[in-house]
Amino acid sequence: MDDKKQSTKRREPDGTTLTVEEWIELMNKHDPLEQYAKKRKKEKRKKGRQERKEEKDESEDE
């Protein structure tokens, strides 16, 4: 029975235990795929802003 209880919890470095849900949330914060997606989204927004600025500059030159 102890093994079953232990399998549903994860140990933190300081010795505290996490529920499965807490552990999943913690792992999702550090998920490389999620971080990659956030980075790509940020780059896409930045590129879009830059393109809009360039278009605005070009229209002002005319």
Side-chain angles (χ1 to χ4, degrees), residues 18-52:
L18 299 172
T19 64
V20 172
E21 291 82 14
E22 291 170 330
W23 185 79
I24 290 171
E25 281 182 31
L26 183 63
M27 292 299 105
N28 284 341
K29 281 185 185 176
H30 304 288
D31 181 15
L33 183 59
E34 185 176 320
Q35 297 300 320
Y36 174 77
K38 284 181 183 178
K39 183 179 177 184
R40 293 282 299 181
K41 187 175 180 181
K42 184 178 178 182
E43 289 172 353
K44 190 174 182 180
R45 278 194 310 246
K46 186 177 179 181
K47 186 177 179 184
R49 284 188 205 125
Q50 187 176 5
E51 288 174 353
R52 284 193 302 273

Side-chain angles (χ1 to χ4, degrees), residues 4-19:
K4 187 175 182 183
K5 185 176 180 182
Q6 186 63 31
S7 68
T8 62
K9 297 208 177 239
R10 305 284 190 250
R11 290 219 174 261
E12 277 285 290
D14 63 1
T16 61
T17 56
L18 299 172
T19 64

